[in-house]
Amino acid sequence: MTDYFSLRDLELAASATLPKDVWDFVAGGSGSELTLEANRTALDRIRLVPRVLRDVSGCSTAAALLGRDAGMPLAVAPVAYHRLLHPEGELAVARAARRVGVPFTVGMLSSFPLERIVAEGARTWFQLYWLRDETKLFELVARAEEAGCEALMLTVDVPWMARRLRDIRNQFSLPEDVTAANLSAGASSQAHEWRAGTSAVAAHTSAAMTAALTWESVEKLRARTTLPLILKGVLDPRDARRAADSGVDVLVVSNHGGRQLDGAVPSIEMLSAVREAVAGDCEVLFDSGVRSGTDVLRALALGATGVLVGRAVMWGLAVGGEQGVDTVFRLLADEFRDALGLAGCASVCDAARLRTVS
Amino acid sequence: MTDYFSLRDLELAASATLPKDVWDFVAGGSGSELTLEANRTALDRIRLVPRVLRDVSGCSTAAALLGRDAGMPLAVAPVAYHRLLHPEGELAVARAARRVGVPFTVGMLSSFPLERIVAEGARTWFQLYWLRDETKLFELVARAEEAGCEALMLTVDVPWMARRLRDIRNQFSLPEDVTAANLSAGASSQAHEWRAGTSAVAAHTSAAMTAALTWESVEKLRARTTLPLILKGVLDPRDARRAADSGVDVLVVSNHGGRQLDGAVPSIEMLSAVREAVAGDCEVLFDSGVRSGTDVLRALALGATGVLVGRAVMWGLAVGGEQGVDTVFRLLADEFRDALGLAGCASVCDAARLRTVS
Amino acid sequence: MTDYFSLRDLELAASATLPKDVWDFVAGGSGSELTLEANRTALDRIRLVPRVLRDVSGCSTAAALLGRDAGMPLAVAPVAYHRLLHPEGELAVARAARRVGVPFTVGMLSSFPLERIVAEGARTWFQLYWLRDETKLFELVARAEEAGCEALMLTVDVPWMARRLRDIRNQFSLPEDVTAANLSAGASSQAHEWRAGTSAVAAHTSAAMTAALTWESVEKLRARTTLPLILKGVLDPRDARRAADSGVDVLVVSNHGGRQLDGAVPSIEMLSAVREAVAGDCEVLFDSGVRSGTDVLRALALGATGVLVGRAVMWGLAVGGEQGVDTVFRLLADEFRDALGLAGCASVCDAARLRTVS
Amino acid sequence: MTDYFSLRDLELAASATLPKDVWDFVAGGSGSELTLEANRTALDRIRLVPRVLRDVSGCSTAAALLGRDAGMPLAVAPVAYHRLLHPEGELAVARAARRVGVPFTVGMLSSFPLERIVAEGARTWFQLYWLRDETKLFELVARAEEAGCEALMLTVDVPWMARRLRDIRNQFSLPEDVTAANLSAGASSQAHEWRAGTSAVAAHTSAAMTAALTWESVEKLRARTTLPLILKGVLDPRDARRAADSGVDVLVVSNHGGRQLDGAVPSIEMLSAVREAVAGDCEVLFDSGVRSGTDVLRALALGATGVLVGRAVMWGLAVGGEQGVDTVFRLLADEFRDALGLAGCASVCDAARLRTVS
């Protein structure tokens, strides 16, 4: 794991290692992948104005996420079916997350049961899609609470899975040994059924999840749990304000990594406006396209408290299992500390005062 | 017809199938094709800000065009000589349009007689170039009314055909068996005459159509028919206002798909200004460069009631006749419903309230 | 001459025909050729908003330049040593210019004597560099007046020739049979002297011309001739205003086709500001990068009365002598009339009322 | 040395001559080299509006830097270890700088002792990193004063060396015969120690220099020397103002040539704001990406008094030692005089009144 000096190195290694259809499932976006590409372009266009002559000898990446300490202002984004990438799947990622002190978001569609993942000892958030079967949904909520998850992250930008052409062309389906372990046996069987002209995973998602998710659903969930509530997938400041007014604790400004609406605005371009709209009533996290420590700093300078990282963690998992994920976290920590100090910030708090030019 | 997952797939197939000169006639633009290219660039630059937590389980693409129901907010743009692409030409397109419930605009230069096309049962609009011979022009108007066309679309951006270099280099002329079936026998004979250094189709157009079309012509036509009147090719808001004041019902904001003035502004950049200028007095459609459901959504978010699609329909026709056009409509409907729902819109009306960033 | 359908076709033919060093002398710019390239990029970025429903059946390219009729709003820019490109040099260009009714600017460094060129019957303007030897300079002014030139065009952006790296690398010098025919025998001998590491033409220019040209020089020239006075090479509006106040009749907004200050602003970006600064007190022409009829229309829409074309005329001369220049003029006239009509302009005057987007 | 007509020619020659790891050490930037590239893009985007009709026959590049005459408004930037590039290292550069009358900044990490370099007779500035061992630091200050250095340049943007991936991949370390000659014997031994996965030079820098440099350090240095004090690496106008208030004489607006914070703003984009913030209380120099005389003019037009050039001087040194550096200076002087005169500036002072467009 010593030959990787940037996340890009790991990306290249992962793309060389994985079967094409799995690589495409992880790397791809929706439609013409315009938003996927725009996420990167928009981040690169954010230029930071560093400060000088501050004592950064004790420069620390320590952060607070949801009011608790984190090793850096970063959490693992929810990603389905980690076992597609490595037999140890979510367990490997959770162990690495624990070591570096960052929260791990267990996907509802995780390939190990959430209890087993939580047992690895990382700070754990649990991600929810709103199941058509609300009984099952609230059973999952109860399991998450009981297992010790410290927050629930409701994904709000997936009324259904978007047209991801790579998966459709590949007729992507899950291998037999990868299942949605949190759901009842057989619940995800549809995700294994190879059919011409479709992605089995998309078909399963549409069958299981509702497209009728509304603010009332959010309020119902809010009433049913005392855990902090995170909404993932908010871009319009009007929705952000409404979320704050509905008792949501945290917003994740995200376009689902370019995997849902093709043509959606790059997340980073909405971050400041969302931040202003919530006026401190919600914590704001950033997601979509983070690939370096500089990206983390960019998001912080524009008002985020932290970022989610999804694909990059998967590259590490694919390349080297738990050690590969360690490498991803080490690189991100090294790069972020480097960027922070070089920008004249002794701590994560200072980052919010940096100016940017775009 | 199951191996096409985007209109781009059909474009590639069509370009591989068609004789080069026919492909160029369909695909090409004028001059250096700067506007042709700018149409796409400008559309891709429109970024949508999706809404979340709306019930889109019943998301419908149903639209109203000219006050009547349509399966989606889309009509087939007028394109001359469909038989260049397939022996069943306009008939095949009309059948497919009927099935999906979108209006079909019969070109004045259609390669089947308009009556026969109308008989296929689609909602039909009839496109007019202003013939030098006004007697013939008004005969065509009468035929369109009698056949049951529901609107007349006057093309106003073709005083003559622009310099389309591909056609000129190819010395493009019509094959014997493709004629302007609405005109008297022999009327389009010039369009079949191969001559060095020119496009026979352009020569015929210039010979038959007037370059003296004015607002008085529009008012004359307005007075001669009770059918709704659509003007196609308006970009300057001053012209849009004048059209509204002249009793025009619908405007098509269009630069003729980059086929007339090379260096003209991308149509999408004028859409909002035209919309504001007419202040609700005309319905506004968008044309030029639509290649996906996201493009339809973009146009709607910027104020259009619907869009015209020309070239993409021709790709389907060339690749698979009626079935090919079915595929085009199916893809556009699937993509548009996908985009609509992912943007948090339960119906076409919601699209007008989306914010865009560019 | 019938296989050329755009000026680009002629450019390619010329580059294939000419010796590399001559091609480079014509095509090249200064330094890193940033301004050369920016001239084109900036023109292409000007998008025109066409008007519709105007009677353009009698659309005419006829223009007035310096108060006299011209076949189109275009003049031949001063270019040195036409015989580098074709044995008939300036004579061929003058004949073609006469036929199409556009003024021809004879360069001071023309390779035929100005009297012989004027005798070809075109409207003729005479270009001046300010010679170190003012006696010779005013002799040339007198000769131009006597020969019937209708205006003097003083080039003001050449205190010396810029570093044109192609010429320097090619150690460019004039062949024996090409001389500065207006100057005394042997005056340009330096331009024939091959020397390592320099361009002989640049060396000669620097030796013969002054770098001390000032507004006083302009006023002196103004006082010595009754001919209309054109200043070529003005970009800053402050200089434009000063020129108007000094009795200059015409300004040419030009960066010398990217051949003088590398890094200079594209001329088209200064056109509107210059136009405003002179407030109608000078006629304003545009130069630098015109390659099509659309470019002419762009310049007119931004306030120019006409444009100068240099390199494109040379391409025609190189490819086919007089006939080649005819082709250039025919293409420009066809394209310009096409663009004018398609933009809804019946005459050159209408072009000034077009809106542009950039 | 006569075949180089632009600095780009020398860059290509240097890259062909040097061992890959040395080339990468000189040419590389940090991280993804986004800032390295942006420096050039941003400079090229600055377009100059030249003036005309000014007497530039006596056009002079003479400048004042820190109140003393310079042959042109340019100084050699501090660069470590010149002997990596040529055995005569800093001595060769100093001799060439003397000949052309530009100040030479001796790096603290120079590969000859500062006294020996000063003895070559160029105007000399001495660069400081703030050593962890302040006794040694002030010994160096005293040596610089005694040797006759005319100013001290404190680098303020290197709390540590950024992640320069080329060096890390190359496991870059110094050859035995190149040492930090100003430091005690063995002080830089760490910079020679090859270790997997790191750059030995970065490791040494971090070990020797402090990351705790603050405004108090600056004030301490200000109090300990009567030499003019230059701060290098200021980008934020708030830091610039603070520097002026701390008695700093000169600011260098710099992002360390894209070698420190990857994602930092291009220096040229902050120049005007820094200039305004100091309101004449400091002299302002520009650094980062200067590659031509036009670049020098751009910086002057935006408010700099002069520029620093680092990499380009190294190219000359690598290619031809002292003569190579002569070539670099000759090219820069020729190009700058050319640009100055072609922009209508008779002197360096006039450049500040040029307008720019970007």
Side-chain angles (χ1 to χ4, degrees), chain B residues 11 19 35-36 39 53 94 127 136 185 191 194 200 211 244 262 309 315 323 332 334 337 344:
Chain B
E11 182 180 17
T35 295
L36 178 69
N39 278 339
L53 292 168
Q127 180 253 355
K136 276 195 195 170
W194 183 93
D262 188 41
V309 178
W315 301 336
Q323 278 189 296
L332 280 167
D334 286 356
R337 183 178 177 279

Side-chain angles (χ1 to χ4, degrees), chain B residues 67-82:
Chain B
R68 289 184 52 191
D69 290 343
M72 51 181 158
L74 181 151
V76 179
V79 177
Y81 306 119
H82 289 202

Side-chain angles (χ1 to χ4, degrees), chain A residues 54-58 337, chain D residues 130 132 158-160 206 209-213:
Chain A
R54 279 105 172 286
D55 179 351
V56 294
S57 58
R337 184 179 177 279
Chain D
W130 202 275
R132 290 177 189 269
V158 186
W160 52 74
S206 292
M209 284 64 160
T210 185
L213 187 64

